[in-house]
Amino acid sequence: MTGQASGIDVDEIVAIDVHTHAHRSVHETAHDGAGNDDMGQYFGIGTMPHYSVPELAAYYRERKMAAVVFTVDSISQSGEDPVPGNLEIAELSAEHRDVLIPFASVDPARGKAGVEMARRLIEDHGVRGFKFHPSVQAFYPNDRLAYPLYELIEEHGLVALFHSGQTGVGAGTPGGGGVRLKYANPLHLDDVAVDFPGMDIIIAHPSFPWQDEALSVATHKPRVYIDLSGWSPKYFPPQLVQYANTLLKDKMLFGSDFPVITPERWMRDFERLELKPEVRPLILKENAARLFGLRGTADAS
């Protein structure tokens, strides 16, 4: 992969969390977190904490973990730029290269302006991948509107991570906050994997109610991975555990969805899964280290 050289020493960490959110800018004096607090209620944690990038780095460094960090750009639906923005996340992650891997998020509805934004984030600021949230951004992943972004991601050898399945965003609010679940069926990613065979794709979360579709795409398409974020492992469906133990043991990735789920809670429940001993380190660290090309790059400048 191209982009910012990693400062992560894989041998010195216990896990790589491929799915975390920064919800607070270092420049904020006040924060209206109503939407995030609705998510906190959905996940049963009450008021959800808001972490800045430096705070998130400190949290993971203390736990001897690395983390992929991003925001979600849904300007076409919200009318507002994300806070914190992509540039802040990229610049601050560069100051914490020992634990953070910066991703960006660009709403496909930004069109050509979004592609140019993404290009600058890659070439000037070293982001390592892009987060898409089809339900929040209101697009099908195989919509040609998004293809210029995928072309750029594939060109630079980066990773595209897609939310899949049900979401806590808008859950329990009138009309689900206008969020439509239909966009997040992972079967739409099968087209993307065909049309961009050189692009690594992560299907985020156990894809309720489309778990079998996600497993099918990941077993059929060689560059499609699944991250296990957003759910406690004790709620994983049996077929997900079965495939993690067998056919997809090299393509399953630890993710928490922090801060809605802490890595401690996730790993505590992960220990109770009936997994082969040799599979656990693959999921917790080695598969992500291989995907992001981290081995042998700790001393890169």
Side-chain angles (χ1 to χ4, degrees), residues 141-173:
N142 58 358
D143 189 327
R144 274 21 183 203
L145 174 72
Y147 274 35
L149 279 171
Y150 303 158
E151 289 171 0
L152 185 68
I153 295 168
E154 184 180 49
E155 173 191 343
H156 286 83
L158 305 184
V159 178
L161 185 153
F162 293 84
H163 170 90
S164 74
Q166 189 165 319
T167 177
V169 180
T173 65

Side-chain angles (χ1 to χ4, degrees), residues 76-254:
S76 64
Q77 307 304 306
S78 69
E80 299 178 349
D81 286 310
V83 177
N86 289 311
L87 186 58
E88 178 177 334
I89 289 176
E91 289 181 340
L92 291 177
S93 293
E95 297 176 10
H96 300 279
R97 294 167 55 248
D98 60 312
V99 290
L100 294 184
I101 301 169
F103 270 34
S105 179
V106 175
D107 191 330
R110 287 184 184 266
K112 291 183 179 179
V115 175
E116 289 310 307
M117 175 191 298
R119 186 181 301 278
R120 291 193 298 272
L121 287 164
I122 295 168
E123 296 178 355
D124 299 339
H125 301 284
V127 301
R128 305 295 301 276
F130 285 79
K131 162 65 183 283
F132 296 94
H133 198 310
S135 292
V136 171
Q137 295 167 329
F139 82 106
Y140 290 106
N142 58 358
D143 189 327
R144 274 21 183 203
L145 174 72
Y147 274 35
L149 279 171
Y150 303 158
E151 289 171 0
L152 185 68
I153 295 168
E154 184 180 49
E155 173 191 343
H156 286 83
L158 305 184
V159 178
L161 185 153
F162 293 84
H163 170 90
S164 74
Q166 189 165 319
T167 177
V169 180
T173 65
V179 174
R180 301 178 191 272
L181 303 180
K182 64 181 181 179
Y183 295 115
N185 186 330
L187 192 59
H188 301 308
L189 290 168
D190 190 58
D191 286 336
V192 180
V194 169
D195 295 336
F196 297 91
M199 182 173 73
D200 290 310
I201 295 169
I202 299 175
I203 301 175
H205 316 309
S207 305
F208 176 78
W210 302 293
Q211 181 66 86
D212 289 343
E213 283 88 336
L215 294 171
S216 177
V217 175
T219 53
H220 191 260
K221 299 301 186 289
R223 301 189 76 154
V224 175
Y225 297 74
I226 292 176
D227 91 32
L228 302 171
S229 68
W231 289 42
S232 163
K234 69 181 178 181
Y235 298 121
F236 288 174
Q239 67 269 41
L240 179 60
V241 178
Q242 176 187 350
Y243 274 77
N245 239 345
T246 55
L247 294 178
L248 293 177
K249 65 181 180 180
D250 296 316
K251 300 175 77 178
M252 292 286 183
L253 306 166
F254 161 49

Side-chain angles (χ1 to χ4, degrees), residues 270-290:
F270 180 70
E271 285 298 319
R272 299 188 178 102
L273 287 184
E274 294 185 4
L275 292 175
K276 300 172 185 176
E278 64 270 24
V279 169
R280 293 185 187 278
L282 298 178
I283 294 174
L284 287 176
K285 182 171 69 171
E286 297 301 334
N287 291 341
R290 185 181 68 255

